[in-house]
């Protein structure tokens, strides 16, 4: 699997890179509305998105360390994004602010970053319990996970 990225920068940057086996499995499982993490057998740390190396003890992690999370999580912190780059190096107001949150998923020790939706800025708070919202038609890609919403 490769990922294209060329959005949100003050220039057009089109490139592809190989995500690696673990990350590929992570995104492929989005098609089944599943969120996978990697659980280190040496220290027990569970990282999401899964990585090839344990961030706590540096042990190698592979596909056999993948575990499925239930998708439920809690907002640890968040920020409200009101401006974006216009492609010419200038910041412009967004029509609608976007809330980006650090979310601790049940069963994980790390956090995942995602947009929040179906919640007003005034109602977002640390500790808000959230669940993922998936695209109706999923293809096993990052874009399958639309955002998290309050549960
Ligand atoms: Zn470890």
């Amino acid at each position: 699997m490769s990922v294209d990225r060329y959005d949100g920068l003050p220039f057009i940057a089109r490139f592809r890179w190989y995500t690696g086996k673990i990350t590929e499995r992570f995104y492929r499982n989005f098609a089944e509305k599943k969120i996978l993490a990697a659980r280190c057998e040496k220290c027990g740390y569970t990282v999401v998105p899964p990585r090839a190396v344990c961030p706590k003890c540096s042990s190698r992690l592979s596909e056999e360390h993948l575990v499925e999370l239930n998708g439920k999580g809690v907002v640890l912190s968040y920020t409200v994004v009101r401006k974006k780059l216009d492609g010419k190096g200038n910041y412009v107001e967004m029509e609608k602010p976007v809330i980006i949150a650090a979310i601790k998923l049940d069963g994980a020790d790390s956090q995942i970053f995602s947009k929040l939706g179906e919640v007003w800025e005034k109602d977002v708070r640390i500790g808000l319990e959230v669940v993922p919202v998936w695209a109706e038609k999923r293809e096993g890609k990052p874009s399958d996970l639309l955002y998290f919403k309050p549960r």
Side-chain angles (χ1 to χ4, degrees):
M1 168 187 258
S2 61
V3 175
D4 293 314
R5 178 180 285 176
Y6 48 86
D7 198 19
L9 298 171
F11 51 89
I12 294 174
R14 287 201 157 146
F15 49 90
R16 295 180 148 231
W17 73 91
Y18 178 57
T19 56
K21 279 187 176 179
I22 284 185
T23 302
E24 179 169 348
R25 281 273 303 274
F26 175 69
Y27 288 124
R28 292 272 184 243
N29 273 271
F30 279 13
E32 311 300 322
K33 300 183 181 182
K34 291 179 182 174
I35 298 177
L36 301 181
R39 182 163 294 142
C40 177
E41 61 190 2
K42 187 176 176 192
C43 75
Y45 193 88
T46 303
V47 60
V48 63
R51 294 191 202 165
V53 175
C54 175
K56 190 174 178 192
C57 76
S58 302
S59 292
R60 289 294 292 176
L61 299 172
S62 61
E63 291 179 274
E64 67 212 33
H65 297 101
L66 295 175
V67 293
E68 185 182 338
L69 304 178
N70 66 18
K72 294 177 183 173
V74 174
V75 172
L76 293 182
S77 66
Y78 63 92
T79 189
V80 180
V81 181
R82 300 175 199 287
K83 295 186 178 192
K84 66 178 181 180
L85 289 164
D86 67 355
K88 298 169 192 159
N90 306 304
Y91 287 100
V92 294
E93 288 290 327
M94 296 168 67
E95 277 181 38
K96 192 178 167 197
V98 174
I99 304 169
I100 305 291
I103 298 165
K104 185 179 178 308
L105 294 173
D106 288 359
D109 295 303
S110 67
Q111 54 200 333
I112 193 168
F113 292 90
S114 179
K115 283 195 286 190
L116 292 183
E118 300 180 38
V119 60
W120 294 103
E121 187 182 334
K122 66 178 178 55
D123 299 323
V124 178
R125 59 183 165 69
I126 290 169
L128 182 69
E129 296 181 330
V130 293
V131 290
V133 175
W134 301 96
E136 197 169 302
K137 187 181 173 209
R138 295 171 308 283
E139 302 174 311
K141 291 182 173 181
S143 56
D144 290 350
L145 178 54
L146 300 178
Y147 54 84
F148 281 78
K149 71 172 186 177
R151 59 173 134 142

